[in-house]
Amino acid sequence: MNRINRKQGILIPLVIMLLMLFAAQAQAIIDGVTGTTFHFTAKEGHISTPDGNSILMWGYANGNNVMQYPGPTLIVDQNDVITITLTNELPLGNAVSILFPGQDVAASGGSQGLLTRESNSPADTVTYTFTASHPGTYVYHSGTQPDLQIEMGLVGAIVVRPAGYTDLNRTAYGSSSTAYDYEYLFLLTDMDPIIHELVEFGQQDEVDNAKRAPVIWMINGRAAPDTLAPAYTPLLPHQPYNCLPRMNPGGKLLMRIVSAGRDLHPFHHHGNNSTVIAKDGRLLSTNGVDPDLATSEFTIQAIPEETVDAIFEWTGEKLGWDMYGTGVGYEHDCVDGNGDDFDDVTHEYCPDHGKPLPVVLPEKQDLGFGGWWGGSPYMGSAEALPPGEGGLNINGGYFFMWHSHTEKELTNFDIFPGGMMTMMVVEPPHIIIP
Amino acid sequence: MKNNYIPLGLKSFLGALGFVAIAGTCQAADVYLVAKQFNTTMPDGLSVSMWGFAEDADADLSTDGGEMASAPGPMITVAPGDSVLNIHVRNDLAEPMSLVIPGQTAGMSPVMFTDSTGRSRVRSFTHETAPGGIETYSWNAMRPGSYVYQSGTHPAVQVQMGLYGAVTKDFAAGMAYDGVSYDNDAVLLHSEIDPALHEAVVGGTYGTVDYPSTINYEPRYFLINGAPYPDAMPLYDHKPVPGETVLLRFMSAGLQTHIPTLVGPNMDVVAEDGNLYPYAREQYSVLLTAGKTIDAVMASPLQGIYSIYDRSLDLTNAMDSDGGMQTRVTINACNGDIDGDGMVDLQDFGILRSQWGQICTVDNPCSADINGDGSVDLQDFGILRVDFGRLDCLTP
């Protein structure tokens, strides 16, 4: 079927359409380290939290770099043999190790601990080897005194690319039914700073595991609003990873959720349901190829140790009004060449083309503004705002809060807003991501 | 048939924890239990008052054989062909109790009471056994699966105090559910202890300002099969043999969420609350919420030590690390490895020699009674001799 809803004029300039041709050449989105051989050093360092605190952490450093939280995200290819060596620069008396749930690990060196082999000193190296036999999202963390060391920050994520993966052919598990355009990591953790203070003050023995009460909640090692700051910002030298998911209408965004803390978190993504295609790096599937056992959810139950892969889509379908605007100055076409009801370029939902916004916006003096309100309800548009308002939505995108729905986890040590929260931005089609 | 498999080298704590009774097994559809108080000792030496169940040895509840209670109580195994389970109970506690099995249907007669504001409220989900009384609880259509039996009276207190145990029924011999076969099973019943609650209940201050309710619940000990690590042990059908399929029966009688996690191979999670999933889920951990049961299959593990630990990180005994909810599925390839160190050597021979000629009972188990015939003799020596010199008992 070939359906064209033609109104007047062309809104999307030719230049922008040309730019869009290059959008497919984007680089990998999740920040991390690639290869097959890695060296970690467990060491101390301080992270910053938005309440102004500086908290002692133990983390895995990449090689001899500074401690980072979370540890390096390993991005590896399916069937590669992965080797990770670990040396221990934690305070004397603390052994350290790494567990790789879902991997068949051979460990050597160091000494045998309760759950795996451990490094006991800077001179004591443990080697972990496994074959990344299954694609997917995985977690790693300390297997030594995990009640303390996971709290202290010895956690990280692994992404295993399926065989045949390329940046131009992105799939989570190899089959086209797991294809995506953008991917983001959501490594969720929770923290009780009192435990960190006791460790810093040499009172490690006084840590009472049963009385732990987290007051800081994080995504990728940062609490909001730091989740939105750039990756690798020099302001946060020990917290290299941010979490600012962005997409264009009609795209597929792969959420790689890694629950690395101690508590359950209901991770709620506004905007649309997502399709949960895999857990623990295993496709939800009867045939091993297609996620035919996938579920549609609007809140991901993030269970400590579990990983969840979910594909999120947003199109504006059935908003009931034209998201690119109506009336003078908003003239545009909806050209549905392939019969999927959407414009082939702007991904506008053609059945709603030309339908006006069904409410009359209040006068500006009657509105409260947030930084993300650009003055216009229309995708890609902006209008004048009073002095000092707006400014965080330069492209005229739609912002959706993605957050833990345990609402107290939207605070930084009792101060709202913050915590396990970020914004997902649907950017207009001409904005190239990333 | 579930045997009294007693892990090697654990004699010292068995008596204190009432393990003997845990391992006691009731094959018949008629089970005779006594609810009574007892004490258990935590690894740091703290003694905790518990309520538990003992199996009445002579199946005559009108006489008291002095059996020791335990928490969990005796594991009840209902034969695949038995549709009816009758549990006969004598209540030696000072307050009424009852029995329910979530997930199994029974005729229920709730017991009400009138509270201080005149409201009629439920005290028991079904008919009570008064202190000193004897009653029978019946389930006439037992479904296959893994379940927890527990008190149905003031459960916030009575279940926490220890009135719980495992009950299983298989779909067919060697088949937990239709299509889920196994060679060996391991019960892993999770629970917690908040010593302050136990003190308050026994001291009569529960419900006062000292301990108003379980809203102040703060467990400090985290148990599998009634003991925290290092004493926590899986309860097997029989001593594991390399290569056999092991069904892990995760159960919870606690009030908190735990996440048993297997280090090493993934599990096939096949059932929840006694309900078979349409498709097994391959996972390394399971979400074990309060009251939940989860069944998972370990497919043919080779010899080795497979750790299971709680990813909710309740891995402490009060202030001490390296404790709590963790245990090991140890699959030893050598029958003669008496001390379980992975080698059959002179140390094992020394243990055999020191126990030579002993008569072994549930109260006096002998680690060197390798063939389990009740005595340490020439036959056990013969088994040890076959394996002597092996170094690979735990090496896959």
Side-chain angles (χ1 to χ4, degrees), chain A residues 393-434:
Chain A
N393 185 1
I394 53 175
N395 301 320
Y398 288 178
F399 281 63
F400 294 96
M401 189 197 281
W402 284 14
H403 62 103
S404 166
H405 220 299
T406 300
E407 303 278 331
K408 72 173 182 181
E409 298 177 353
L410 301 183
T411 57
N412 298 322
F413 222 136
D414 296 342
I415 302 167
F416 175 89
M420 190 176 285
M421 185 246 283
T422 191
M423 292 288 171
M424 191 279 297
V425 193
V426 183
E427 299 278 25
H430 65 276
I431 300 299
I432 294 165
I433 300 167

Side-chain angles (χ1 to χ4, degrees), chain A residues 145 208 211 261-262 305, chain B residues 218 220 282 284 311-312 321:
Chain A
Q145 212 180 333
D208 190 339
K211 289 192 186 299
R262 186 168 170 191
E305 196 81 345
Chain B
E218 190 182 83
R220 305 192 60 72
E282 188 189 339
Y284 42 74
R311 187 52 180 78
S312 286
S321 279

Side-chain angles (χ1 to χ4, degrees), chain A residues 66-79:
Chain A
V66 297
M67 183 286 291
Q68 69 170 77
Y69 176 67
T73 300
L74 304 184
I75 301 171
V76 303
D77 294 328
Q78 185 181 3
N79 299 324

Side-chain angles (χ1 to χ4, degrees), chain A residues 41-47 55-61 65-68 88-92 94 152 154 196 199-201 204 238:
Chain A
T41 311
K43 56 172 75 169
E44 291 184 301
H46 286 79
I47 64 163
I55 298 177
L56 177 77
M57 303 293 288
W58 296 351
Y60 297 110
N65 294 354
V66 297
M67 183 286 291
Q68 69 170 77
N88 181 358
E89 294 182 13
L90 294 178
L92 204 63
N94 293 287
M152 289 303 290
L154 291 160
H196 299 248
V199 170
E200 185 158 26
F201 298 156
Q204 199 170 317
H238 297 283

Side-chain angles (χ1 to χ4, degrees), chain A residues 101-102 114-115 141 145-147 205-211 260-262 280 282 286 293 301 303-305, chain B residues 218-220 229 257 259 261 263 266 279 282-284 287 307 309 311-316 319 321-322 328:
Chain A
L114 279 184
L115 299 177
H141 58 78
Q145 212 180 333
D147 44 289
D205 292 345
E206 291 175 33
V207 172
D208 190 339
N209 190 38
K211 289 192 186 299
R262 186 168 170 191
D280 289 357
R282 295 294 181 273
T286 60
L293 297 177
Q301 183 184 38
I303 304 166
E305 196 81 345
Chain B
E218 190 182 83
R220 305 192 60 72
Y229 188 84
T257 294
I259 305 168
T261 300
V263 178
N266 281 359
Y279 296 95
E282 188 189 339
Q283 295 172 194
Y284 42 74
L287 179 65
S307 295
Y309 72 102
R311 187 52 180 78
S312 286
L313 303 180
D314 289 323
L315 304 174
T316 46
M319 297 296 283
S321 279
D322 295 341
R328 314 278 173 259

